[in-house]
Amino acid sequence: VPPYYTFHDAHGEEIVRPRVEIVPILKDNYAYLVFRRDDTGVAIVDPGEAEPVRLALERVGRRPLEIWLTHRHTDHLGGAAA
């Protein structure tokens, strides 16, 4: 699976979108892996629980390069220290 998707809009302009992997965490929340275009790793968005994110990283074969936290609630940053 490519780290990003390229397509063209109705006017022929190239559009590039990163691949995003959704990672279920806790009982009712999600973290996200955003793949870099150069295929070197991923950014982890809102890692509220470490273990599911770690398993997802192993499954996709990428290493974390950045952690993006959208706000300061525990369900979004609880796994960031791991």
Side-chain angles (χ1 to χ4, degrees), residues 3-72:
Y4 60 93
Y5 301 97
T6 303
F7 57 95
H8 293 86
D9 67 12
H11 305 288
E13 296 292 320
E14 184 176 74
I15 307 293
V16 178
R17 297 283 186 249
R19 175 179 164 203
V20 176
E21 189 85 17
I22 299 170
V23 182
I25 60 169
L26 305 171
K27 292 181 181 179
D28 61 352
N29 217 329
Y30 300 95
Y32 305 89
L33 304 180
V34 180
F35 289 68
R36 289 179 51 112
R37 188 172 181 173
D38 62 10
D39 207 19
T40 59
V42 297
I44 302 169
V45 182
D46 291 337
E49 186 179 16
E51 187 63 10
V53 173
R54 185 188 67 74
L55 293 172
L57 289 168
E58 285 181 10
R59 182 174 44 76
V60 300
R62 298 295 191 282
R63 62 188 178 96
L65 299 176
E66 301 175 310
I67 297 175
W68 302 344
L69 304 173
T70 60
H71 59 279
R72 292 174 37 177

